[in-house]
Amino acid sequence: MPRRATTPPSALGTLGTLAAAAALVLGAGGAAHASSGDLVVNGRAIHEPSGCIAHNGPAAVANHTDKPVFITSGRWCTGAIIGVIHPGDTRFAPFTSNIYAP
């Protein structure tokens, strides 16, 4: 009897993790929109930030928005998420990173 191809359990776990991450990013309401408030990067305010915020050199980041923002390890918001800045928090972003505001 020929064997039937099956999906390995590790692949199913990865798919579940990706689906959960997508649900968190999109939110329960469905449509994504810019964060309300300001994101302050090295003293420069960005009103209602959205998407990838590239910067040159290290940055002090103050999140005065209603959503968390993410520090990524690669250029143009690629690579791993290496930090999260929650609303009301200030953190340091190393020079090799960018900031992503969903």
Side-chain angles (χ1 to χ4, degrees):
M1 178 187 281
R3 292 185 66 188
R4 193 170 55 167
T6 59
T7 304
S10 62
L12 293 175
T14 301
L15 290 174
T17 301
L18 290 173
L24 286 173
V25 169
L26 294 176
H33 58 82
S35 300
S36 296
D38 293 326
L39 186 67
V40 181
V41 179
N42 287 340
R44 180 181 64 111
I46 302 166
H47 186 65
E48 296 186 353
S50 180
C52 187
I53 300 157
H55 64 88
N56 294 322
V61 182
N63 184 358
H64 301 292
T65 71
D66 60 344
K67 296 180 182 176
V69 296
F70 304 95
I71 301 170
T72 62
S73 65
R75 290 186 173 266
W76 308 115
C77 296
T78 60
I81 293 173
I82 59 173
V84 177
I85 307 170
H86 294 282
D89 286 349
T90 299
R91 292 214 32 207
F92 179 77
F95 70 92
T96 57
S97 62
N98 283 243
I99 302 153
Y100 178 74

